[in-house]
Amino acid sequence: MSASDFRIGPRNRQNPLLRFLRSFVGYKRHLTLTLMFLPVVVYFVTFKYVPMGGIIIAFKDYKIKQGILGSAWSQPLFANFIKAFNTPTFARSVTNTLAISGLKLLFGFPAPIILALMLNEVVHERFKKAIQTITYLPHFLSWVVLAGMFQQLLSPNNGAVNAVLQRVFRMKDSIYFLGDNRYFRGTLIVTDIWKNVGWSSILYLATIAGIDPMLYEAATVDGATRLQCTRHITLPSLAPTIVVMLILSVGSIMDAGFDQVFNLYNTAVYQTGDIIDTYVYRYGLGDMKYSLATAVGLFKNVIAFVLVVVTNMIAKRISGSGIW
Amino acid sequence: MKGSRMLALLLAALMVLAFMPASLADEEPIHISVAGYMFGPIDAEQDVITPLIEQKLKDDHGINVDIEVVYVEQANYAEIINTRLAGGTAPDIFLAQSATTLQSYYDQGVIKTWDEEFFKTNAPHVYDFIMAGAAYGDLAPYVDQWKDASMIDGEMCVVPSFKPDGSMPYKTLIYRGDWLEKLGVTEDQLPKTVDEFVALMTRFAKEDPDGDGQDNTYGMSVTAMKALFGAYGLGEEGFAGGGNGIFVERDGKLVNSDVTDEAKEVVELLTKMYADGLIDPEFVNGRESVEGSYWAISHGMVNGLYGASANASIDHYRLKGITGPADEGGRCANEYWAVNGEDSTFVYAPWPAGPNGDYGWVVGYAVAVSESAVYNADMDDEKLAVIFQIMDAFATDDDLYMTAAYGIKGEHYEVNDDGTIGRNGLSNEDLNLVGVWGCRSLYGADRAFSQTSYDLVFYKDPSIANRLNWFKKDQYNSYIQNAVSVTLPSNDLFAELNTIRDEAWVNIITGKASIDTWDDYVAAYMAAGGQTLQDEANAWYSGK
């Protein structure tokens, strides 16, 4: 093997092993930079990769006193999974999780993009800042506080929303948004968008701010309308960010929002609102059922991982950009 | 130069002095860390009580201990303790907050167990006090229940609390006083039967008791349903709120009250009441307080949406100078007065009786493992023996107990002429700072096992005596109890069962499902673990 094998060239680029070996030469050459990066590696290995070994709890009958390695293996090995999957409400909680997450993705994902595009068109700087601040403030309120608010606002008895529906729109009966299976998911989606739309739009606004103004100037000179500018300059420039965010969102599709659902749901809407996380919570996470909780968590993560890989593949094929 | 030599000598002398007590002490004190129920953190600088207790234990009882009070925030108590258990840094003494938690600690092997003889040997006075039925023998009927509750699989693992006010119903039925007045219902006309109760609920809903000319009131919400379950001899502890059903005896066998025919009758009655508009549709929330606020406050009743509630205990609805101190109302009572005016009234109501003459609500357990101390399995038997000797010291030495529970006389508390304790205007948090209650879990769950401590809390306090007397009146009293006084091995199945029950019942009551689906519900309930629990309950019952 001669030194020329490590030189950057089209031939070597095809060979992963050589490319891997060559990178060490690079590490040595930039020793200072490598050393600076070392703490990051240590951090990730210690706090992110080593703890992953903990997932074996899912296959054990974990007892605190005996420790992770000392606890006996489950009999059979998948006992914790079988126990979780066999309870009557588990299947429903998976369906509900996917339905709620799917709807959130469908409506909640485009919302901040649309808001960012709209804000971008606002000329009055003060007005724009005001809107931005107002829309991202709800992000800082916890769902416990918001749940109290929404229960009041959406109450069928004395809630403001029903009062408006009845007095202004002349509706006869009041709607129990949080206690009716027909409305519950919709209410979750709308309140979720309201809470997060402003915060999520910050990233898109930052990307838009980075677009070269010359592009707009050139387009304007060529006679493009504002709508055409948005369609042919802003959106294409946003595309890579959108793709990354989409992949990340798909990765969290098994998380339908525990805080939100747990604080807003009630017995009457278990049918449409009971998700995996609320199921695990009720099933006794507080009662030291670590093995069961880990099993369900692992189940969720495996699905999420597969979804991320698939989405990334599709995104790369269609748009050419992905997260790896 | 001379100055620094002097300084060096001085420092050397100080060092010798500093080591003196340690070298003079015959033995190292035993270190005991305790994380009991506290109202706030303890301040090591201001803590005068803990050193005093250590001193008194050493001088008067020959027990040489170093007590470390650990403050654990109440809101996340179980999570914090669980984390510390997993990390091997849990304190020696901590609380099992419920029977289910106790069972999981036991299953996990993280708590110490011992036999009755061991307890009797090291805490003889405590043992005798409990076996004699506590103060004045009032609790003699509950001694067996106390023994049952202290053990799992025949081994003692907790010292449960034992309290005379446990014969009071856990929750109190309350009506809005102004609505009763508007409808012309006097105190002796309050409902005494189910029919009368439903009639009053109808009047609350239909006769505009708030006088605003609008049809915007209901009779009740979720918690007053307890009155109806009680009338059929049942004790739904947590319908729509997630709690477990109790076990009742039917033909010599125990059955879960959630699947009895009587439960079906009550659900049928509730279905009719709901259809008639007597029940607030928001009852499905399972709670009457607004999310994020104090659980015991029934906002619907306080704000005049419905007129009946059984959300809280009489303690929450203390009346100034009658069932509480002259200057302090209960927390719910204060809220009620704040919203409705200082002179607004509410009424403690009798429980309506059902077809077989049953009435009432689950009595608030004379024996309770919640808030009782458990002991870290890491400690050896010698340390546990010392802990029980300390418990015994608190039971025999009133001065020691008063110091731990009330502070220093004249500084933190006074004894009033009638024998009650005055707190000198200090709040619970103030007292916690200086170390009061820090040693709480060393003497017992809430108080020492001694005549003096029981006298102070229950018998000498006129407002508590008033409360106890109140509940001696006919149909204000109650006797419904869970027939099972132990934690069943499969207790965790209740989580799923309660979901199944709540959902089935809510669907029936709100008209989404027919009452004909009842048998399907019972089948699903029994299949999901109801049968297992019932078998365990009966196995325990037949072995009694």
Side-chain angles (χ1 to χ4, degrees):
Chain A
M1 208 175 275
S2 72
S4 64
D5 286 331
F6 297 101
R7 211 170 293 137
I8 298 168
R11 189 166 54 89
N12 285 352
R13 202 173 285 155
Q14 304 306 317
N15 189 330
L17 180 71
L18 281 179
R19 208 169 55 179
F20 180 72
L21 287 173
R22 207 181 63 235
S23 63
F24 280 96
V25 178
Y27 293 150
K28 203 182 164 190
R29 189 180 302 154
H30 305 287
L31 195 64
T32 333
L33 289 176
T34 312
L35 283 175
M36 280 171 74
F37 186 70
L38 200 63
V40 179
V41 176
V42 172
Y43 169 81
F44 270 89
V45 170
T46 319
F47 293 106
K48 304 285 173 187
Y49 285 90
V50 174
M52 275 187 204
I55 57 172
I56 61 166
I57 290 177
F59 304 98
K60 288 200 157 195
D61 186 13
Y62 176 61
K63 293 257 194 297
I64 288 180
K65 279 279 136 195
Q66 295 157 6
I68 295 176
L69 295 175
S71 297
W73 293 99
S74 306
Q75 295 294 339
L77 197 59
F78 285 89
N80 290 310
F81 294 86
I82 295 166
K83 193 175 178 191
F85 297 161
N86 272 350
T87 47
T89 47
F90 183 76
R92 184 180 70 183
S93 72
V94 175
T95 321
N96 282 337
T97 305
L98 291 173
I100 292 170
S101 285
L103 287 168
K104 277 188 179 169
L105 200 61
L106 192 64
F107 296 101
F109 184 74
I113 302 171
I114 295 166
L115 180 72
L117 290 176
M118 283 162 70
L119 277 174
N120 187 44
E121 300 302 320
V122 175
V123 184
H124 198 295
E125 202 55 33
R126 273 235 179 115
F127 179 69
K128 185 176 162 181
K129 286 256 163 68
I131 295 284
Q132 249 184 291
T133 311
I134 291 167
T135 50
Y136 78 59
L137 274 183
H139 173 81
F140 297 102
L141 296 173
S142 83
W143 274 113
V144 180
V145 177
L146 291 178
M149 260 175 59
F150 281 123
Q151 277 174 5
Q152 298 283 298
L153 284 171
L154 301 172
S155 161
N157 289 312
N158 39 26
V161 174
N162 272 305
V164 170
L165 288 178
Q166 285 172 331
R167 305 234 167 98
V168 181
F169 296 97
R170 300 274 154 216
M171 278 186 41
K172 240 181 86 221
D173 294 318
S174 54
I175 296 173
Y176 191 2
F177 292 98
L178 294 172
D180 190 326
N181 282 312
R182 284 171 296 173
Y183 298 100
F184 185 67
R185 283 181 189 162
T187 312
L188 286 180
I189 310 306
V190 172
T191 53
D192 183 61
I193 292 177
W194 173 81
K195 185 177 190 291
N196 291 319
V197 69
W199 184 257
S200 316
S201 70
I202 292 177
L203 187 72
Y204 298 111
L205 280 169
T207 314
I208 291 172
I211 300 172
D212 190 348
M214 279 187 6
L215 291 173
Y216 291 101
E217 283 160 23
T220 321
V221 170
D222 287 345
T225 62
R226 287 177 75 173
L227 204 63
Q228 282 169 325
C229 282
T230 306
R231 231 186 95 189
H232 298 288
I233 300 171
T234 321
L235 265 180
S237 310
L238 270 180
T241 314
I242 294 176
V243 168
V244 170
M245 294 309 285
L246 183 70
I247 295 168
L248 293 178
S249 303
V250 171
S252 56
I253 203 157
M254 297 304 279
D255 296 310
F258 172 75
D259 286 350
Q260 183 193 18
V261 176
F262 181 70
N263 285 302
L264 287 177
Y265 86 154
N266 57 56
T267 316
V269 290
Y270 276 176
Q271 201 194 323
T272 51
D274 190 20
I275 57 174
I276 299 175
D277 295 331
T278 51
Y279 161 86
V280 171
Y281 178 87
R282 269 205 324 274
Y283 209 78
L285 196 52
D287 285 331
M288 309 176 94
K289 302 244 174 313
Y290 298 111
S291 292
L292 189 86
T294 314
V296 177
L298 184 60
F299 164 76
K300 278 174 57 177
N301 286 333
V302 166
I303 292 182
F305 182 69
V306 171
L307 284 171
V308 167
V309 172
V310 170
T311 322
N312 192 52
M313 267 165 53
I314 296 171
K316 260 182 139 172
R317 197 158 295 171
I318 294 174
S319 71
S321 56
I323 51 176
W324 72 82
Chain B
M1 219 27 208
K2 205 175 176 189
S4 59
R5 191 179 299 164
M6 282 293 282
L7 191 68
L9 272 171
L10 195 70
L11 281 174
L14 273 174
M15 272 172 71
V16 172
L17 277 174
F19 280 109
M20 285 276 276
S23 55
L24 283 182
D26 35 0
E27 241 177 87
E28 276 288 299
I30 298 170
H31 178 263
I32 295 173
S33 53
V34 50
Y37 185 99
M38 288 164 76
F39 297 94
I42 193 165
D43 180 1
E45 303 263 306
Q46 293 183 52
D47 182 5
V48 288
I49 304 298
T50 316
L52 200 58
I53 297 291
E54 286 168 353
Q55 195 63 46
K56 281 175 189 282
L57 281 171
K58 194 176 173 189
D59 295 348
D60 304 339
H61 302 273
I63 303 171
N64 188 10
V65 284
D66 165 28
I67 300 168
E68 182 198 353
V69 180
V70 181
Y71 172 65
V72 177
E73 198 194 350
Q74 278 300 310
N76 303 312
Y77 191 91
E79 286 86 347
I80 294 170
I81 290 292
N82 289 356
T83 312
R84 294 184 66 156
L85 280 169
T89 58
D92 294 324
I93 304 176
F94 52 93
L95 304 174
Q97 289 191 310
S98 70
T100 316
T101 317
L102 178 68
Q103 179 76 43
S104 49
Y105 284 157
Y106 179 83
D107 290 344
Q108 288 279 351
V110 293
I111 55 171
K112 194 98 179 140
T113 58
W114 62 89
D115 59 25
E116 205 176 330
E117 201 52 42
F118 181 83
F119 185 62
K120 196 176 163 181
T121 313
N122 288 294
H125 297 91
V126 173
Y127 185 81
D128 290 345
F129 182 75
I130 291 165
M131 292 305 129
Y136 309 106
D138 271 8
L139 292 169
Y142 298 99
V143 169
D144 283 345
Q145 199 182 323
W146 188 91
K147 277 191 175 183
D148 285 342
S150 70
M151 294 178 195
I152 295 179
D153 296 343
E155 291 182 296
M156 277 185 88
C157 59
V158 65
V159 181
S161 69
F162 208 29
K163 44 190 180 177
D165 63 345
S167 56
M168 295 200 292
Y170 206 49
K171 299 285 165 64
T172 302
L173 183 60
I174 306 269
Y175 297 135
R176 277 189 74 97
D178 55 342
W179 287 16
L180 292 174
E181 204 175 316
K182 173 92 191 323
L183 300 171
V185 180
T186 59
E187 190 147 353
D188 53 326
Q189 291 170 329
L190 291 173
K192 291 269 189 147
T193 65
V194 167
D195 289 344
E196 287 169 10
F197 178 78
V198 175
L200 181 67
M201 292 305 106
T202 313
R203 296 191 70 193
F204 277 167
K206 306 292 175 196
E207 294 185 19
D208 192 25
D210 59 355
D212 68 353
Q214 288 180 23
D215 177 18
N216 56 2
T217 55
Y218 298 98
M220 57 193 245
S221 185
V222 65
T223 61
M225 292 178 185
K226 293 182 171 86
L228 294 171
F229 286 108
Y232 284 80
L234 308 174
E236 290 326 310
E237 269 202 88
F239 165 54
N244 305 346
I246 63 168
F247 281 93
V248 291
E249 197 194 303
R250 294 286 183 271
D251 308 320
K253 287 263 172 218
L254 296 186
V255 284
N256 194 302
S257 59
D258 287 339
V259 289
T260 52
D261 291 341
E262 292 90 332
K264 185 182 177 185
E265 279 185 63
V266 180
V267 170
E268 230 174 335
L269 175 62
L270 288 169
T271 310
K272 188 175 177 307
M273 289 175 75
Y274 186 86
D276 291 345
L278 312 186
I279 299 173
D280 169 21
E282 284 187 271
F283 87 89
V284 297
N285 274 328
R287 56 188 287 172
E288 293 182 1
S289 59
V290 174
E291 193 81 45
S293 63
Y294 187 55
W295 65 271
I297 295 172
S298 171
H299 287 99
M301 190 189 72
V302 166
N303 294 319
L305 183 63
Y306 41 86
S309 169
N311 198 32
S313 73
I314 194 169
D315 191 51
H316 293 111
Y317 280 100
R318 290 190 300 265
L319 289 165
K320 288 176 191 171
I322 303 170
T323 46
D327 53 350
E328 194 195 330
R331 191 156 173 185
C332 294
N334 290 337
E335 178 78 11
Y336 189 87
W337 290 322
V339 173
N340 297 289
E342 268 306 307
D343 49 358
S344 61
T345 56
F346 51 84
V347 176
Y348 302 149
W351 298 100
N356 297 325
D358 284 323
Y359 61 84
W361 180 240
V362 183
V363 291
Y365 310 102
V367 177
V369 295
S370 57
E371 311 301 346
S372 294
V374 287
Y375 307 95
N376 198 323
D378 288 340
M379 73 173 74
D380 51 23
D381 284 353
E382 285 72 39
K383 193 165 181 173
L384 187 65
V386 170
I387 288 172
F388 287 150
Q389 284 155 22
I390 294 173
M391 189 184 277
D392 214 51
F394 276 109
T396 50
D397 184 345
D398 291 342
D399 175 51
L400 182 71
Y401 169 66
M402 294 295 286
T403 311
Y406 298 95
I408 298 165
K409 193 176 176 183
E411 196 177 334
H412 304 121
Y413 76 94
E414 300 291 350
V415 180
N416 299 328
D417 296 338
D418 60 357
T420 54
I421 300 286
R423 284 272 160 80
N424 287 351
L426 293 166
S427 72
N428 289 339
E429 289 79 5
D430 294 338
L431 290 167
N432 246 157
L433 278 179
V434 299
V436 176
W437 292 305
C439 300
R440 188 182 198 141
S441 290
L442 279 170
Y443 49 75
D446 315 293
R447 63 201 67 83
F449 290 98
S450 70
Q451 184 78 34
T452 309
S453 86
Y454 276 61
D455 270 343
L456 279 169
V457 181
F458 299 110
Y459 297 99
K460 276 192 191 163
D461 188 329
S463 64
I464 293 189
N466 267 349
R467 271 184 243 176
L468 289 169
N469 286 334
W470 195 280
F471 290 112
K472 284 179 181 154
K473 294 199 288 182
D474 194 30
Q475 284 191 238
Y476 283 88
N477 59 351
S478 190
Y479 50 85
I480 296 172
Q481 274 192 57
N482 195 344
V484 174
S485 54
V486 291
T487 309
L488 297 172
S490 304
N491 208 50
D492 59 342
L493 288 173
F494 271 122
E496 185 70 8
L497 294 177
N498 294 338
T499 313
I500 294 172
R501 171 202 63 197
D502 285 358
E503 199 170 359
W505 290 12
V506 162
N507 284 341
I508 294 172
I509 292 170
T510 54
K512 270 185 265 177
S514 145
I515 189 75
D516 300 333
T517 60
W518 182 268
D519 292 340
D520 302 336
Y521 146 71
V522 173
Y525 186 97
M526 295 315 268
Q531 190 64 49
T532 312
L533 282 163
Q534 187 164 312
D535 292 346
E536 286 174 4
N538 280 301
W540 167 80
Y541 194 62
S542 58
K544 253 175 75 120

